Amino acid sequence: MWVHRSSASKTLRAGATKRCIYCNHPIEWYERADNGERLPLLLQMFPAHLLPVRYRWSVANGLVYFGEDGSHCRVAHPAVCSALDHEYEKALEGLRRSYRVSTATWIQKGEFVPAPLKELCEDDVVEQVAQTTSNIRHVVRYNYVLLLAPCEVDQIQCVARASSTGERCKKKVCMEEVAEGLWVQAEIPPAPGRGGQESLMAGQMMWVYDMSGLDPQSFMRWKEQTCTVHHDTSTPQAEMPEWAWFNTWRHGQFITYDEPEMAREARKRRASPLFVQVAARTGSKCAQCGQYSHTKQEAGWLCAKCAAIVLRREQTHRKWQVQTQPQTPAASPTPEDSPA
């Protein structure tokens, strides 16, 4: 099979239809047009006038768009997944009830064993494509973006379909002869809300694979999860890219506090020439997150994002400090009280 020339996605429809690991219902993966992330949809179509606006999705040119396209629309799978607790919706209550009954029937018959259930959210259901057998997942940073890899950085597999075997390419995304990033320590991003400021992770450091020195084209190869052979080609994808946006609360178990073994081995390899050129600049690195600046800055400068975080943290701590009462200054002696 080939990807049609008018399609904006390289994902083949035959390989994008799978079953949810939490409820066993069939889902179809599409790439979102707004941010390029993946979204599982139900296979059937629904009349658009029977659903609330926030549940309407449409597909065009291999991408999924928010809103209806005509009289019918698609529904995202997290809206009806049996593993989630949904608020009452009259339009979807019947469909959700049938999904729960079907999942329970499969479990009782022994035809389906759900994934280890925990307190799930819709983002966890969307990111089930990134479920791997590895318990170690590294964090990759590119400027302000933090991405969670499906496994170790040096073990990320290409998602393109090999023309020789017709299966997923077995090559790695990481280049063996050149180090395209540096292992650095970065502050764990605070979670939103007061709970994030008061958590034990606030202010601590974690190890990330920093690729801020790469040019955008080289980083897009990592983002698209392709090797050097299948990058910038029309080769279709055998699987969806398995990256996930890093979230402090949901991905806390994958935070690397100790220096990984890969960091020691990476020092023995020569770095990318462009990365060495950017990293060699003096005074152009943020003291908080390590973000590089295109202009020369003073030592210890903070970027706009880190400066806002530090200011908000200082205001939060200052708010809860005990305010001491000002002491009344002693009265100065008057000329009448003077011994003279």
Side-chain angles (χ1 to χ4, degrees):
M1 293 183 294
W2 296 271
V3 178
H4 196 270
R5 59 179 178 273
S6 64
S7 177
S9 174
K10 295 182 180 180
T11 304
L12 297 177
R13 293 295 95 209
T17 302
K18 298 184 178 181
R19 288 185 174 271
C20 178
I21 63 176
Y22 300 110
C23 66
N24 199 37
H25 284 86
I27 54 180
E28 193 173 14
W29 292 96
Y30 281 94
E31 297 179 10
R32 296 182 55 170
D34 51 356
N35 54 13
E37 295 301 308
R38 53 196 170 268
L39 181 68
L41 300 180
L42 303 183
L43 272 63
Q44 58 268 36
M45 303 284 291
F46 297 90
H49 66 279
L50 297 179
L51 297 176
V53 179
R54 62 179 178 273
Y55 294 123
R56 302 176 185 176
W57 295 88
S58 59
V59 177
N61 294 334
L63 301 179
V64 59
Y65 299 83
F66 180 72
E68 71 278 6
D69 185 12
S71 59
H72 289 74
C73 64
R74 304 286 292 270
V75 177
H77 176 74
V80 296
C81 184
S82 306
L84 300 177
D85 296 331
H86 305 282
E87 298 181 358
Y88 177 78
E89 289 283 350
K90 183 178 180 181
L92 296 176
E93 187 61 26
L95 184 60
R96 291 170 179 172
R97 187 185 305 109
S98 63
Y99 267 52
R100 290 192 296 265
V101 172
S102 300
T103 302
T105 303
W106 289 326
I107 295 176
Q108 292 177 0
K109 292 182 178 180
E111 300 177 356
F112 169 64
V113 178
L117 295 179
K118 56 181 181 178
E119 189 177 352
L120 299 175
C121 62
E122 292 188 358
D123 292 336
D124 295 328
V125 177
V126 172
E127 294 176 4
Q128 63 179 280
V129 70
Q131 295 290 340
T132 59
T133 57
S134 176
N135 296 326
I136 303 176
R137 301 175 63 179
H138 290 156
V139 180
V140 176
R141 182 179 67 179
Y142 183 75
N143 294 337
Y144 294 115
V145 179
L146 288 178
L147 297 174
L148 184 66
C151 54
E152 297 89 344
V153 172
D154 57 345
Q155 298 298 325
I156 301 177
Q157 186 179 354
C158 178
V159 297
R161 184 183 296 272
S163 58
S164 57
T165 60
E167 300 179 353
R168 180 175 178 178
C169 177
K170 297 183 179 181
K171 295 183 179 180
K172 307 299 182 182
V173 178
C174 182
M175 300 176 61
E176 298 181 357
E177 66 278 2
V178 175
E180 299 179 274
L182 291 177
W183 282 99
V184 297
Q185 282 186 303
E187 185 177 359
I188 299 177
R194 187 183 301 174
Q197 299 287 345
E198 298 177 356
S199 64
L200 297 177
M201 295 183 293
Q204 295 192 28
M205 307 296 290
M206 67 176 180
W207 285 89
V208 299
Y209 193 66
D210 187 14
M211 295 192 296
S212 302
L214 287 180
D215 57 297
Q217 185 178 5
S218 299
F219 177 73
M220 285 305 299
R221 184 180 67 83
W222 282 78
K223 186 68 169 56
E224 296 173 359
Q225 199 171 335
T226 55
C227 60
T228 55
V229 177
H230 295 108
H231 181 55
D232 284 343
T233 61
S234 58
T235 305
Q237 295 177 347
E239 297 289 343
M240 299 286 292
E242 301 168 329
W243 295 98
W245 296 102
F246 178 76
N247 185 280
T248 306
W249 285 134
R250 296 189 297 106
H251 303 142
Q253 58 178 331
F254 301 114
I255 294 178
T256 305
Y257 294 98
D258 300 329
E259 184 180 10
E261 184 66 24
M262 179 186 172
R264 306 183 186 94
E265 299 177 358
R267 299 192 189 99
K268 303 177 183 179
R269 296 185 299 176
R270 60 185 182 90
S272 174
L274 178 60
F275 194 91
V276 172
Q277 180 182 1
V278 176
R281 299 173 183 172
T282 58
S284 60
K285 185 177 180 180
C286 176
Q288 192 78 8
C289 65
Q291 164 68 21
Y292 295 98
S293 175
H294 296 287
T295 59
K296 188 174 181 180
Q297 303 288 345
E298 297 180 358
W301 75 283
L302 297 177
C303 60
K305 184 177 181 179
C306 294
I309 294 176
V310 173
L311 179 61
R312 183 174 66 252
R313 185 173 300 167
E314 292 178 354
Q315 293 176 351
T316 303
H317 293 174
R318 192 183 306 113
K319 177 181 178 181
W320 296 102
Q321 289 179 354
V322 179
Q323 300 292 339
T324 58
Q325 298 294 336
Q327 299 181 0
T328 305
S332 57
T334 59
E336 291 78 4
D337 297 337
S338 178

